[in-house]
Amino acid sequence: MSLSAVPLAAGSSPSPTPSESTTPAVPSIQDAHESATQAASWVEQNWSTWLAIGLKVLLILVIAAVLRVAIRRAITKLIDRMNRTAQAVDGTALGGLLVNVERRRQRSQAIGSVLRSVASFLIMGTAALMILSTFDINLAPLLASAGVAGVAIGFGARNLVTDFLSGVFMILEDQYGVGDSIDAGVASGEVIEVGLRVTKLRGDNGEIWYVRNGEVKRIGNLSQGWSTAGVDVTVRSSEDLDKVREVIGAVGERMSKEEPWNELLWGPIEVLGLDSVLLDSMVVRVSAKTMPGKALTVERELRWRIKRAFDAADIPIVGRTPLMVEEDIAADPTAGMAAPSAYASTTSPQSQAATPLTPPSVTK
């Protein structure tokens, strides 16, 4: 008989179909209430911890922000005070020993920018580490890894670190700046760019030198303070020294009152005296303090004016004694001939010794 005709036992229920067995159960209101109750209890148990962590993070951020603003303002005030000090000494005798106000202002602004950036990096970096520590994050592996990486980078790039540190101290100490003429030992010329790693120089012939800051052992700055123009005037030993001094003094006085020499000369043109005295000549030393880097220009103009003034005063300028040229001696006709050889004569002992021996005759 068919399955549909089989009667069901009492109390039994039909088996669920496959579609009914895979349908998810719909949560009831009681289940939702229990879940909400558990979440509320979990929040109630941990809200104090969250609040403490939030307050710690907020306090760290506030302290870091206040400290950053205070340090940046302190650095700005320090830079402004440096600028006011530079402006106060400008135009005085002490100001002549220092760099001009504009360059000091640019240098102080650059130093202030570097200091503010370093201060912000240190403060915010420390605050970030403190915030991570409030979340119970173990910073020991991170710090250890950073330390190992720093040591490895330090050994691998020690030349780069040396160049960078040397560049920082060169800028902080104002050893030279753009536009200065310097002698760096390995190269010399005018500074056209100053970097933390490389300094760029333009040589006298127009070439560009790239000098690593770590390789510079000494710096000779020819553009700071003042320069000295020195001229040696050689006259005859029979000249009147008072007249020579008077002519040179008049030349220096006129030159110091004319444009643009009155700006290039930072002191009077002085006759220092006799530098050397010889039998037929003597050297008079003339010196003047000039603007940095302008000594050669002043020397050329001073020589020009002294020569014209001496010509007008009938004072000849002498030079070194000319070398005496020896008269040509008549050439010896036998000078190019070789010495006679001992082997030229057949009767000489050398020729007889070199003569081959005659073999003895064979008798029968």
Side-chain angles (χ1 to χ4, degrees):
M1 69 186 164
S2 62
L3 296 175
S4 58
V6 178
L8 296 176
S12 63
S13 59
S15 59
T17 62
S19 59
E20 293 178 353
S21 61
T22 57
T23 302
V26 178
S28 62
I29 298 176
Q30 184 177 0
D31 295 337
H33 178 70
E34 292 178 357
S35 300
T37 303
Q38 293 176 359
S41 61
W42 183 78
V43 170
E44 183 179 1
Q45 294 175 358
N46 296 280
W47 75 269
S48 59
T49 304
W50 292 352
L51 181 61
I53 293 176
L55 291 177
K56 287 181 180 179
V57 172
L58 181 61
L59 182 61
I60 291 173
L61 292 177
V62 170
I63 293 176
V66 172
L67 186 61
R68 178 175 177 269
V69 171
I71 292 180
R72 290 174 67 90
R73 287 186 177 180
I75 294 174
T76 303
K77 290 182 179 180
L78 177 62
I79 298 303
D80 294 339
R81 182 175 300 178
M82 291 173 57
N83 292 334
R84 289 196 299 268
T85 304
Q87 294 176 0
V89 301
D90 185 48
T92 62
L94 180 60
L97 305 178
L98 303 176
V99 190
N100 55 44
V101 177
E102 181 63 21
R103 174 175 168 183
R104 289 180 63 89
R105 186 189 66 80
Q106 295 176 357
R107 169 176 167 265
S108 60
Q109 293 295 335
I111 294 175
S113 177
V114 172
L115 292 179
R116 284 190 290 267
S117 299
V118 171
S120 299
F121 176 77
L122 292 178
I123 292 173
M124 301 310 295
T126 305
L129 293 178
M130 294 178 65
I131 290 174
L132 291 177
S133 64
T134 57
F135 289 99
D136 295 334
I137 297 177
N138 189 9
L139 300 179
L142 179 62
L143 296 178
S145 301
V148 173
V151 172
I153 293 175
F155 278 106
R158 56 185 181 275
N159 292 333
L160 181 62
V161 174
T162 302
D163 297 340
F164 179 79
L165 293 178
S166 300
V168 169
F169 282 106
M170 286 178 181
I171 294 176
L172 293 178
E173 297 173 0
D174 193 24
Q175 298 180 7
Y176 53 82
V178 176
D180 290 350
S181 296
I182 66 171
D183 181 4
V186 294
S188 60
E190 181 182 355
V191 180
I192 59 177
E193 185 178 343
V194 179
L196 293 178
R197 191 182 68 87
V198 174
T199 297
K200 187 185 297 185
L201 305 177
R202 182 174 296 277
D204 297 335
N205 297 326
E207 68 276 9
I208 296 180
W209 299 97
Y210 294 88
V211 181
R212 287 173 44 200
N213 296 330
E215 293 182 349
V216 178
K217 304 302 180 183
R218 61 170 180 82
I219 290 291
N221 196 324
L222 308 179
S223 300
Q224 288 186 358
W226 69 84
S227 298
T228 303
V231 176
D232 293 332
V233 183
T234 306
V235 297
R236 295 179 302 187
S237 58
S238 59
E239 291 292 338
D240 187 0
L241 291 177
D242 295 333
K243 182 179 180 181
V244 173
R245 181 188 293 272
E246 182 181 356
V247 173
I248 296 177
V251 170
E253 185 177 357
R254 287 195 304 269
M255 184 175 175
S256 60
K257 295 179 180 179
E258 298 179 2
E259 295 284 347
W261 311 109
N262 55 355
E263 297 181 358
L264 301 182
L265 289 170
W266 286 9
I269 298 177
E270 301 178 348
V271 180
L272 300 181
L274 291 177
D275 193 65
S276 63
V277 179
L278 303 177
L279 293 177
D280 56 349
S281 64
M282 54 185 177
V283 179
V284 180
R285 182 71 173 178
V286 183
S287 177
K289 186 182 295 184
T290 68
M291 182 182 295
K294 300 299 181 181
L296 185 59
T297 304
V298 173
E299 289 176 0
R300 291 171 177 171
E301 181 66 19
L302 190 58
R303 291 190 186 98
W304 182 283
R305 292 173 179 260
I306 290 176
K307 178 62 172 66
R308 296 180 60 182
F310 276 19
D311 291 343
D314 196 17
I315 301 176
I317 297 178
V318 300
R320 294 189 304 176
T321 304
L323 297 177
M324 299 298 296
V325 180
E326 298 181 357
E327 298 181 357
D328 294 337
I329 302 176
D332 187 3
T334 61
M337 299 176 59
S341 175
Y343 296 95
S345 176
T346 57
T347 60
S348 63
Q350 290 83 358
S351 297
Q352 293 179 359
T355 302
L357 298 177
T358 303
S361 58
V362 179
T363 60
K364 293 183 180 180

